[in-house]
């Protein structure tokens, strides 16, 4: 069940993605969330704190799934990589507003708290890849040791670029499917492509 606080966060997320921080008012957020404007002050104190709260909320979700994958003992390191791609791709697909905000912030933010959030999230992913790669190399599951920062850039960069360019590719392909149907095909192919790249980068061979 969504709490009042989460309801405000999710309403704000759409406006911040579409209109940016400066272009969004607490009044329109309150109206969309169906709460009194004073509730925003009660839960967050200010629009800036609400914005920071949104980023922290979504980033904590990412950190949680990262930790969950690393700690699993029922799958091997290659299967963990596959799971990361699926989960990361799924989040970008279903949280388009948040990732639009994230990409804007990476280019323009001067807020030290947001800078710290972004750094923490990136470092979390790099640490996750490092642990999985180190373990996979030790077990002989992987035979190549690519730079971790480039491994991370390959996954996140490809996902972000392809997600941003999705409508252009739909037009290029002259695809007439509805958005949901095209999304399903598009992200399925995108995930397969990234997995193919990582299989080569990591030197993974299933039958070796």
């Amino acid at each position: 069940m969504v709490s009042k606080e989460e309801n405000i966060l999710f309403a704000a997320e759409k406006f911040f993605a579409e209109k940016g921080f400066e272009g969004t008012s607490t009044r329109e957020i309150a109206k969309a969330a169906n709460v009194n404007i004073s509730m925003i002050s009660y839960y967050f104190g200010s629009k800036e704190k609400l914005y920071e709260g949104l980023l922290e909320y979504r980033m904590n979700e990412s950190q949680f799934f990262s930790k969950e994958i690393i700690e699993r003992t029922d799958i091997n390191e290659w299967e963990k990589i596959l799971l990361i791609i699926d989960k990361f791709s799924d989040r970008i697909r279903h949280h388009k507003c948040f990732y639009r905000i994230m990409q804007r912030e990476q280019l323009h933010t001067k807020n030290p708290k947001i800078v710290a959030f972004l750094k923490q999230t990136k470092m979390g992913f790099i640490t996750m890849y490092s642990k999985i790669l180190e373990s996979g190399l030790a077990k002989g599951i992987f035979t190549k040791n690519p730079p971790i920062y480039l491994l991370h850039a390959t996954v996140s960069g490809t996902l972000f670029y392809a997600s941003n360019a999705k409508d252009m590719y739909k037009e290029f392909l002259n695809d007439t499917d509805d958005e949901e149907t095209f999304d399903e095909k598009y992200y399925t192919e995108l995930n397969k492509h990234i997995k193919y790249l990582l299989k080569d980068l990591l030197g993974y061979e299933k039958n070796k």
Side-chain angles (χ1 to χ4, degrees), residues 94-112:
H94 292 102
H95 296 294
K96 293 182 178 73
C97 288
F98 171 67
Y99 284 101
R100 191 180 305 161
I101 295 168
M102 276 276 286
Q103 290 179 76
R104 185 189 301 142
E105 287 301 322
Q106 290 185 76
L107 294 173
H108 304 295
T109 190
K110 295 179 181 177
N111 182 320

Side-chain angles (χ1 to χ4, degrees), residues 1 4 7 9-10 34 40 56-57 66 68 73 75 93 101 122 134 146 154 157 174 176 191 201:
M1 185 176 178
K4 285 186 178 180
N7 189 40
L9 286 173
F10 300 156
N34 197 29
I40 294 177
E56 185 173 17
Y57 179 91
S66 301
E68 183 184 51
T73 58
I75 56 177
R93 177 183 173 185
I101 295 168
K122 290 177 183 178
E134 183 180 350
T154 298
N174 197 27
T176 57
N191 287 9
L201 285 172

Side-chain angles (χ1 to χ4, degrees), residues 44-60:
F44 302 100
S46 66
K47 186 174 76 167
E48 184 175 49
K49 294 298 181 185
L50 168 58
Y51 192 68
E52 292 173 356
L54 169 63
L55 267 64
E56 185 173 17
Y57 179 91
R58 290 298 191 200
M59 289 178 187
N60 283 339

Side-chain angles (χ1 to χ4, degrees), residues 165-204:
K166 187 193 65 154
D167 291 341
M168 179 189 71
Y169 289 140
K170 189 176 191 296
E171 182 180 343
F172 173 76
L173 294 168
N174 197 27
D175 193 296
T176 57
D177 284 335
D178 61 82
E179 185 174 358
E180 185 62 29
T181 302
F182 181 74
D183 266 19
E184 187 64 35
K185 292 190 301 184
Y186 187 75
Y187 282 95
T188 297
E189 286 301 314
L190 177 57
N191 287 9
K192 283 169 60 178
H193 175 71
I194 295 172
K195 290 170 184 177
Y196 178 81
L197 292 176
L198 293 191
K199 186 176 181 181
D200 183 62
L201 285 172
L202 296 168
Y204 171 77

Side-chain angles (χ1 to χ4, degrees), residues 111-147:
N111 182 320
K113 191 168 185 179
I114 293 176
V115 170
F117 287 156
L118 292 170
K119 181 179 179 181
Q120 178 186 349
T121 302
K122 290 177 183 178
M123 292 296 285
F125 272 101
I126 292 171
T127 299
M128 173 177 64
Y129 289 125
S130 295
K131 289 180 178 179
I132 293 173
L133 179 56
E134 183 180 350
S135 178
L137 286 167
K139 295 176 182 178
I141 293 172
F142 304 136
T143 60
K144 296 179 183 178
N145 187 12

Side-chain angles (χ1 to χ4, degrees), residues 13-73:
E13 186 174 42
K14 294 179 181 178
F15 285 109
F16 288 143
E18 293 170 7
K19 304 171 73 173
F21 177 78
E22 296 296 338
T24 299
S25 71
T26 51
R27 188 172 300 279
E28 60 191 345
I29 293 171
K31 183 178 180 181
N34 197 29
V35 298
N36 190 291
I37 196 169
S38 63
M39 294 298 288
I40 294 177
S41 296
Y42 174 76
Y43 283 114
F44 302 100
S46 66
K47 186 174 76 167
E48 184 175 49
K49 294 298 181 185
L50 168 58
Y51 192 68
E52 292 173 356
L54 169 63
L55 267 64
E56 185 173 17
Y57 179 91
R58 290 298 191 200
M59 289 178 187
N60 283 339
E61 288 180 328
S62 297
Q63 294 300 311
F64 176 78
F65 92 68
S66 301
K67 182 180 179 183
E68 183 184 51
I69 290 172
I70 289 174
E71 292 178 349
R72 286 189 61 171
T73 58

